[in-house]
Amino acid sequence: MIDWRAAALGAWRGTRGGPTVTYGLIAACCLLFAVSPVSGLNPVYGTGDALLAAQGTYFRRWGVVPAELMSGEPRALLTPFTALFVHGSWLHLLGNMLFLYVFGAMAEERMGPVGFGLFYLGTGYLALVGYAVAHANSEQTLVGASGAISGVLGAFLFLFPRSRVTSLFPFLFFLPLRFPAWIVLIFWFVLQWLAARAAGPGPGVAYLSHVVGFSVGFLYAWGRYRGGDRVKAPAAATEGESQP
């Protein structure tokens, strides 16, 4: 007989098959971007003005519009989920996927694939809603996985504070240097917080959603894993390189 309880527990805690959810999220974001009008690779959307119109419609349909979300419209309530898989440019996509690749695998290993998947979606949703609450009258469309990935960074800071990552800092002439994760992530968080305070109305990077996502991710990890699942000794370096 199959022990369904043991199987479910194993799925929750994870297996040795690798960070399947992390890789699945990266694959989904890349695939959806490639077939979207934003990538410029899909000839269905045409070129020139037709392509620009298709991009605007695409962002409006799948992205978060704070004014619509705050109105409580049923369709708008789903957009914080769909917006996590929509990106505004190749640079936007690659930057987010790099951070997810670097920090997601170890977080998933600790949380398990089911727990990590729910954490990623829940944190991303709350990050986008938090931004919408602060900009309730805005008609500017918000897209991207940054809020969810910021949550992953916040959880990583609590779970693996002494893990070392390779980072490039502009004021150090972009030299690839290795630092403990807690230094890199706290530095990143402070930058996002300062940028959120300085941000004005209109288009731009939604730094506030980064701050909300990071805070939610850290608090979740603190509440869930403070009993002893935290890695206190220096851990192996994460995969890839981070670039705050």
Side-chain angles (χ1 to χ4, degrees):
M1 294 181 61
I2 299 176
D3 187 346
W4 294 107
R5 182 178 178 183
L9 185 61
W12 180 269
R13 291 180 175 175
T15 65
R16 298 186 181 277
T20 54
V21 173
T22 298
Y23 293 160
L25 289 169
I26 293 173
C29 287
C30 291
L31 177 61
L32 291 173
F33 182 83
V35 300
S36 76
V38 187
S39 70
L41 300 177
N42 194 336
V44 172
Y45 297 105
T47 59
D49 291 341
L51 180 60
L52 292 176
Q55 291 174 354
T57 301
Y58 177 73
F59 289 140
R60 191 81 184 185
R61 179 176 182 182
W62 302 112
V64 173
V65 179
E68 294 180 1
L69 181 61
M70 291 297 98
S71 72
E73 180 185 347
R75 186 201 67 82
L77 294 177
L78 295 177
T79 56
F81 287 127
T82 60
L84 296 177
F85 298 90
V86 178
H87 289 85
S89 67
W90 282 101
L91 183 61
H92 187 201
L93 172 72
L94 295 176
N96 276 344
M97 294 306 100
L98 173 61
F99 270 83
L100 181 56
Y101 174 74
V102 169
F103 295 99
M106 289 177 66
E108 180 181 345
E109 181 180 357
R110 179 55 52 85
M111 296 180 183
V114 176
F116 179 76
L118 294 175
F119 166 81
Y120 181 90
L121 294 175
T123 304
Y125 191 98
L126 292 175
L128 294 174
V129 169
Y131 180 90
V133 169
H135 301 81
N137 297 320
S138 175
E139 295 287 339
Q140 180 67 33
T141 305
L142 182 63
V143 298
S146 303
I149 295 170
S150 298
V152 174
L153 300 185
F156 192 97
L157 174 60
F158 181 82
L159 294 172
F160 307 100
R162 298 185 184 179
S163 177
R164 300 181 70 84
V165 294
T166 303
S167 302
L168 304 178
F169 289 92
F171 61 85
L172 294 178
F173 306 103
F174 293 99
L175 294 175
L177 302 174
R178 294 176 64 76
F179 295 95
W182 70 269
I183 293 179
V184 176
L185 295 178
I186 289 178
F187 176 78
W188 177 90
F189 177 79
V190 170
L191 287 182
Q192 305 306 306
W193 180 74
L194 292 175
R197 293 194 59 178
V205 179
Y207 292 107
L208 181 59
S209 70
H210 301 175
V211 173
V212 173
F214 188 95
S215 301
V216 170
F218 183 87
L219 290 174
Y220 170 82
W222 176 80
R224 174 68 176 80
Y225 296 101
R226 58 179 172 170
D229 285 340
R230 188 183 186 190
V231 176
K232 297 181 180 179
T238 55
E239 300 175 87
E241 295 188 352
S242 64
Q243 186 174 353

